Amino acid sequence: MTKRVRTDGRGGRKAVRVALLTTVAGAAVLGTVGYRGAVTVAAEVPRVWSGEPYPVADPAAVATHLDARTQAVYDALALPPGVALTPAPVGDDGITARVQGVCHARGLEHLLESMNDGGADQPRTAVLGAHFTLAGVSPTRWTEALGRARTTLTAQGWTVVSVDESAPVPSLSLAPPSDGPGSLAEGASLRYDPVARTLTVGAGAECSRFTDGTAVDQAGEPTALPTPTAPKQLRAR
């Protein structure tokens, strides 16, 4: 018996589009790998349809860990006296949890949603970060500090991901030698503004899903994130 699909209304048209996508995908699989290969591929269909799940981690633990990463980078800079935190937060300074426009829903079932301008955000997920900005950094201090940080951190097992010393805002990005809580991939960065003479130190982790029981606010952001403490040498003043 053939199942009829209603095509009246917006929902009906969407159902037809999904059915067509599924049919085309199935035909492509059979035509490419043959029936024997299709049996193997069929086992992957649920995962492809629903999407690879994001790794799970405690947001507070990740934020605390990233704060420690920025502290390690600050220590490696070995900046001389005279450098201080900016009097007011700049950009993403502090502990941040970005929940909109970054952790999109995965899988073919969200294909049509992802075609919209806003995309399809995955619930209870975020990109966590920790940043602070230093003032009073002269170009000479930046160049010297950059060299010290790069040498010290690579000796500790960090890997240089990218470096651009000639850009209007020079930068250095590094990957730490190990993953953080939840085995999340991480990265740290240095960005220098020669006009404002400020140096921003940051660390961030990949998208992750909150552990069960994590409290969130109306915007979907976790509410129990720690207060940033890095660099401790300056915040103690």
Side-chain angles (χ1 to χ4, degrees), residues 155-182:
Q156 295 174 0
W158 292 61
T159 303
V160 174
V161 177
S162 66
V163 59
D164 192 346
E165 299 182 38
S166 60
V169 179
S171 63
L172 170 68
S173 298
L174 307 103
S178 59
D179 296 334

Side-chain angles (χ1 to χ4, degrees), residues 62 65 69 176 178-186:
V62 174
H65 181 77
R69 290 295 198 201
S178 59
D179 296 334
S183 297
L184 303 183
E186 303 173 14

Side-chain angles (χ1 to χ4, degrees), residues 133-158:
T133 302
L134 306 168
V137 182
S138 67
T140 300
R141 282 185 171 181
W142 153 251
T143 301
E144 295 173 347
L146 176 65
R148 287 192 297 267
R150 188 170 182 174
T151 299
T152 299
L153 293 173
T154 53
Q156 295 174 0
W158 292 61

Side-chain angles (χ1 to χ4, degrees), residues 57-63 95-99 124-128 208-211 213-226:
D58 176 9
V62 174
I95 300 294
T96 58
R98 297 175 59 196
V99 299
R124 296 182 63 80
T125 58
V127 166
L128 293 156
S208 60
R209 180 182 293 277
F210 308 152
T211 49
T214 299
V216 298
D217 58 19
Q218 291 184 344
E221 298 180 4
T223 58
L225 296 181

Side-chain angles (χ1 to χ4, degrees), residues 35-190:
Y35 285 98
R36 181 176 298 178
V39 173
T40 301
V41 173
E44 296 295 320
V45 169
R47 182 179 62 83
V48 174
W49 179 254
S50 300
E52 189 72 24
Y54 284 107
V56 178
D58 176 9
V62 174
T64 299
H65 181 77
L66 293 176
D67 185 62
R69 290 295 198 201
T70 60
Q71 180 68 56
V73 174
Y74 177 80
D75 292 341
L77 289 167
L79 290 164
V83 175
L85 289 172
T86 52
V90 177
D92 290 331
D93 277 0
I95 300 294
T96 58
R98 297 175 59 196
V99 299
Q100 295 182 347
V102 287
C103 302
H104 294 302
R106 296 170 169 177
L108 288 177
E109 67 173 317
H110 300 289
L111 179 61
L112 297 179
E113 299 172 46
S114 65
M115 292 179 181
N116 297 330
D117 293 337
D121 292 325
Q122 188 73 17
R124 296 182 63 80
T125 58
V127 166
L128 293 156
H131 302 80
F132 59 82
T133 302
L134 306 168
V137 182
S138 67
T140 300
R141 282 185 171 181
W142 153 251
T143 301
E144 295 173 347
L146 176 65
R148 287 192 297 267
R150 188 170 182 174
T151 299
T152 299
L153 293 173
T154 53
Q156 295 174 0
W158 292 61
T159 303
V160 174
V161 177
S162 66
V163 59
D164 192 346
E165 299 182 38
S166 60
V169 179
S171 63
L172 170 68
S173 298
L174 307 103
S178 59
D179 296 334
S183 297
L184 303 183
E186 303 173 14
S189 64
L190 294 167

